[in-house]
């Protein structure tokens, strides 16, 4: 066992035992952001971070917490010092590591907020969900955009569109070479790299959150432009999709991480400090209904002149033949200038652990449904044909995998 390399007094001895103690696994791009939110909460404490890279000691020092190279070392440290394991973990390591980490945590009864995608394959994903359930462990998946105020407002106002008919969306930007060169897993398909699994999965989760399950997809791979030999392999740069939802809605979506464009969720909402906020962006999503169209994130509702519904009434007037379409803002943009979806996601996780909330806002099954859509996208690209999205009950459990982790 490697000893923790930066040891501070265990905070529970200072602040009282009622705090929820956390370990954050992964000190790369997103892990420290999660850890900062843990530190912001008076009801939580950061027990340690886990990371095996050279960056770990500096991050641990900045966060004033212990560092372990791996989870086994953390567990051994707790056992040797008769300490409780942390009650909760946030897993922010590369995609291919999630299942093993999740199983190790669940085996010890540690609740987890797991970054997306939950697992590389649907079978591993379903097995991890079942294992968490068997161990009575809370599993929340980090599709944090569900906690973004722009999305909450969008969902709240969808009824104003009448019958939902179609959606159009984009997630398009240009990732710089450094993004790939500094973290090789991001340019390895085998390790979960590629924008479909890293980025599109967020949008497909949101589209399903807003409109219900996607039933069928057709995808065309965008022509790859990266040729840099520093990459392991030339991971996908995105795809153009057509979608059909179970409720009959249809949609189109373009995802690219190699075009010069500001039309993406992060730029339009300003929620990610690494992507410049652009408050003039309109319509990275457009949702079309029989009585109106809602543009996101500008939250303009386009409707016939006399047809703006009252919040209190779900009664819809009949569509008018008038061509005079008006736009009405349903929120002032200033309301959302600093959205904090990670903080809201953590608050929800804490509430699930304490029992203050019981309905998981992004469950393992939600994450599995998003992963199944990505699987269908990949199959469509491979076959050149539209693909139905598998249902959760069509996926087999991997009992061998689950049996490996019991302690
Ligand atoms: N929700 C979001 O908006 C969002 C944004 C970015 C990344 N992510 C997800 O978060 C995860 C991490 O992404 P990232 O960009 O921060 O990755 P990263 O490569 O920047 O950081 C991952 C860290 O994990 C460490 N690590 C890897 N394997 C480990 C192991 N076995 N034990 C201990 N430490 C290990 C690495 O040393 C690295 O510091 C991915 O699953 C990604 O999809 C989510």
């Amino acid at each position: 066992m490697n000893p923790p390399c930066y040891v501070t007094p265990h905070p529970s001895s200072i602040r009282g035992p009622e705090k929820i103690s956390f370990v954050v696994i992964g000190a790369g791009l997103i892990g420290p952001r999660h850890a900062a939110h843990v530190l912001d909460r008076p009801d939580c404490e950061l027990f340690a971070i886990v990371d095996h890279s050279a960056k770990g000691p500096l991050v641990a020092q900045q966060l004033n917490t212990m560092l372990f190279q791996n989870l086994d070392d953390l567990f051994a440290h707790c056992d040797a010092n008769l300490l409780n394991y942390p009650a909760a973990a946030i897993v922010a390591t590369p995609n291919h590591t999630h299942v093993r980490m999740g199983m190790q945590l669940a085996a010890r009864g540690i609740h987890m907020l797991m970054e997306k995608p939950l697992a590389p394959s649907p079978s591993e994903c379903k097995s991890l969900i079942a294992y968490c359930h068997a161990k009575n462990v809370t599993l929340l998946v980090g599709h944090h955009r569900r906690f973004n105020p722009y999305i909450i407002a969008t969902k709240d106002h969808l009824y104003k569109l009448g019958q939902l008919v179609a959606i159009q969306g984009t997630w398009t930007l240009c990732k710089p070479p450094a993004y790939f060169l500094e973290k090789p897993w991001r340019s390895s398909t085998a390790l979960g790299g590629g924008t479909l699994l890293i980025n599109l999965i967020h949008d497909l989760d949101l589209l399903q959150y807003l409109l219900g399950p996607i039933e069928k997809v057709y995808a065309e791979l965008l022509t790859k432009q990266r040729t840099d030999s520093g990459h392991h392999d030339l991971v996908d740069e995105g795809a153009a999709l057509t979608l059909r939802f179970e409720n009959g809605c249809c949609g189109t979506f373009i995802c690219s991480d190699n075009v010069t464009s500001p039309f993406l969720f992060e730029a339009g909402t300003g929620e990610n400090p690494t992507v410049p906020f652009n408050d003039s962006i309109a319509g990275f999503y457009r949702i079309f209904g029989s009585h109106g169209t809602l543009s996101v994130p500008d939250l303009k509702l386009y409707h016939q002149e006399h047809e703006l519904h009252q919040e209190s009434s779900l009664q819809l007037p009949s569509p008018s033949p008038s061509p005079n379409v008006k736009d009405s803002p349903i929120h002032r943009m200033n309301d959302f200038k600093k959205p904090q979806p990670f903080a809201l996601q953590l608050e929800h996780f804490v509430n699930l652990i304490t029992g203050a909330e019981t309905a998981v806002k992004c469950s393992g099954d939600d994450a599995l449904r998003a992963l199944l859509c990505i699987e269908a996208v990949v199959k469509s690209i491979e076959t050149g044909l539209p693909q139905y999205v598998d249902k959760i009950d069509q996926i087999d459990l991997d009992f061998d995998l689950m049996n490996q982790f019991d302690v």
Side-chain angles (χ1 to χ4, degrees):
M1 174 187 107
N2 295 314
C5 92
Y6 184 75
V7 183
T8 53
H10 186 267
S12 63
S13 62
I14 305 167
R15 299 184 203 154
E18 72 285 356
K19 289 170 185 287
I20 300 173
S21 86
F22 274 77
V23 55
V24 173
I25 310 163
L29 180 66
I30 210 75
R33 204 168 148 199
H34 283 295
H37 286 295
V38 170
L39 289 174
D40 278 349
R41 289 189 64 95
D43 54 356
C44 298
E45 64 190 17
L46 186 60
F47 179 86
I49 61 167
V50 172
D51 196 296
H52 60 198
S53 72
K55 196 180 164 196
L58 178 64
V59 176
Q61 199 155 18
Q62 286 165 345
L63 296 167
N64 192 27
T65 193
M66 292 190 283
L67 168 72
F68 295 89
Q69 301 277 316
N70 54 57
L71 269 179
D72 288 332
D73 285 355
L74 181 146
F75 297 140
H77 172 82
C78 291
D79 293 342
N81 293 284
L82 302 178
L83 294 172
N84 289 333
Y85 297 139
I90 300 178
V91 182
T93 50
N95 298 344
H96 65 289
T97 64
H98 291 179
V99 175
R100 194 181 158 74
M101 300 271 180
M103 294 284 192
Q104 282 183 284
L105 294 165
R108 289 160 181 85
I110 299 173
H111 305 293
M112 75 195 80
L113 164 50
M114 175 76 82
E115 268 301 346
K116 38 49 68 175
L118 190 51
S121 74
S123 171
E124 290 166 286
C125 196
K126 188 166 173 176
S127 304
L128 177 57
I129 295 164
Y131 195 70
C132 288
H133 186 69
K135 298 291 173 189
N136 204 17
V137 154
T138 296
L139 169 64
L140 175 66
V141 185
H143 285 295
H144 66 279
R145 291 186 191 172
R146 288 180 177 223
F147 297 88
N148 191 296
Y150 290 91
I151 296 305
I152 293 167
T154 298
K155 198 164 167 67
D156 284 350
H157 290 82
L158 277 183
Y159 73 90
K160 294 179 176 172
L161 307 185
Q163 179 68 43
L164 297 178
V165 175
I167 185 159
Q168 181 188 46
T170 50
W171 189 93
T172 49
L173 92 173
C174 188
K175 290 180 180 170
Y179 171 88
F180 298 97
L181 292 172
E182 69 188 16
K183 298 290 167 73
W185 73 270
R186 295 176 182 155
S187 48
S188 162
T189 306
L191 300 183
T195 194
L196 300 180
L197 203 49
I198 293 179
N199 305 109
L200 178 66
I201 195 164
H202 269 311
D203 286 291
L204 293 185
D205 173 64
L206 270 194
L207 298 192
Q208 296 197 104
Y209 179 60
L210 295 171
L211 300 179
I214 294 171
E215 182 178 60
K216 192 164 69 159
V217 304
Y218 174 69
E220 286 283 352
L221 192 67
L222 298 187
T223 303
K224 295 179 187 178
Q225 301 171 78
R226 293 190 183 99
T227 53
D228 194 309
S229 58
H231 298 107
H232 279 319
D233 62 48
L234 296 176
V235 286
D236 71 77
E237 298 178 15
L241 316 180
T242 57
L243 307 164
R244 185 170 189 90
F245 294 77
E246 280 182 11
N247 65 5
C249 272
C250 293
T252 60
F253 199 93
I254 293 185
C255 169
S256 170
D257 72 357
N258 201 12
V259 292
T260 300
S261 160
F263 292 102
L264 72 157
F265 185 91
E266 288 85 340
T269 62
E271 64 139 58
N272 185 330
T274 66
V275 180
F277 180 38
N278 183 334
D279 65 3
S280 65
I281 289 189
F284 61 63
Y285 296 163
R286 290 193 180 115
I287 307 171
F288 307 95
S290 55
H291 290 69
T293 291
L294 183 58
S295 177
V296 185
D298 43 314
L299 296 176
K300 276 193 182 150
L301 176 63
Y302 294 86
H303 57 95
Q304 298 287 12
E305 196 158 13
H306 58 283
E307 282 192 24
L308 186 58
H309 310 305
Q310 298 305 307
E311 305 272 334
S312 56
S313 166
L314 290 176
Q315 281 291 327
L316 299 170
S318 51
S320 152
S322 159
N324 296 327
V325 174
K326 293 268 292 177
D327 66 83
S328 305
I330 60 175
H331 272 275
R332 286 176 298 116
M333 293 291 281
N334 284 345
D335 293 349
F336 300 149
K337 268 292 180 305
K338 286 207 168 67
Q340 292 285 344
F342 277 73
L344 295 171
Q345 177 179 247
L346 179 61
E347 178 171 278
H348 175 58
F349 185 42
V350 166
N351 286 343
L352 292 171
I353 293 169
T354 61
E357 287 182 73
T358 50
V360 183
K361 288 187 176 163
C362 187
S363 67
D365 280 358
D366 292 327
L368 176 50
R369 275 188 277 274
L371 186 63
L372 288 169
C373 286
I374 294 292
E375 289 274 305
V377 167
V378 171
K379 267 190 220 159
S380 177
I381 288 167
E382 286 169 358
T383 59
L385 297 170
Q387 296 291 324
Y388 282 94
V389 178
D390 282 343
K391 304 260 186 289
I392 289 179
D393 57 16
Q394 292 173 266
I395 307 301
D396 292 328
L397 287 170
D398 184 341
F399 290 104
D400 289 343
L401 175 69
M402 294 159 77
N403 289 336
Q404 283 172 34
F405 288 92
D406 267 340
V407 284

